[in-house]
Amino acid sequence: MLYSNAVIDWFSVFINLFWILGLAVLLASFSYHYWLAGEEKRPLKVQLNQPAFQKTFWFSILLISIGLAGTSQLLWEIGIWTIFALICLYNLFTLI
């Protein structure tokens, strides 16, 4: 038989979506603010300390930590990523 009845693990696809989307948002945000710092003739450090970048940064790190908690196998890994996600939520809500 040339093919098998492979079944897609939809939970794995869904949970991996979080960290992939988080990395994409982080890369896009950093790229945009890097460009904006050049346009406004500001140092990158000053641009990255702006609330607009900080919000997208913590949101993307939150998505990454949710995805990594979902893909972890060991209980202590899940606990560490969950704590990290809660820290990200706290930092995100203090910026709002």
Side-chain angles (χ1 to χ4, degrees):
M1 186 180 286
L2 296 175
Y3 63 93
S4 66
N5 291 332
V7 178
I8 296 174
D9 183 11
W10 288 106
F11 177 74
S12 179
V13 171
F14 176 72
I15 209 67
N16 280 299
L17 173 75
F18 283 101
W19 70 264
I20 294 170
L21 185 63
L23 282 176
V25 168
L26 184 62
L27 178 63
S29 177
F30 181 77
S31 176
Y32 172 72
H33 286 282
Y34 181 78
W35 170 81
L36 194 60
E39 287 292 314
E40 295 179 351
K41 306 285 192 272
R42 281 197 225 183
L44 182 61
K45 184 177 180 179
V46 172
Q47 185 65 37
L48 295 182
N49 283 330
Q50 299 297 318
F53 177 76
Q54 292 292 318
K55 288 177 187 176
T56 57
F57 173 78
W58 286 113
F59 179 70
S60 63
I61 298 297
L62 174 66
L63 289 176
I64 292 169
S65 60
I66 290 170
L68 291 177
T71 58
S72 296
Q73 299 288 323
L74 301 174
L75 190 59
W76 64 270
E77 289 177 343
I78 296 169
I80 289 173
W81 287 116
T82 303
I83 290 169
F84 198 64
L86 292 174
I87 291 169
C88 292
L89 270 175
Y90 172 76
N91 287 330
L92 190 60
F93 282 126
T94 57
L95 289 171
I96 295 176

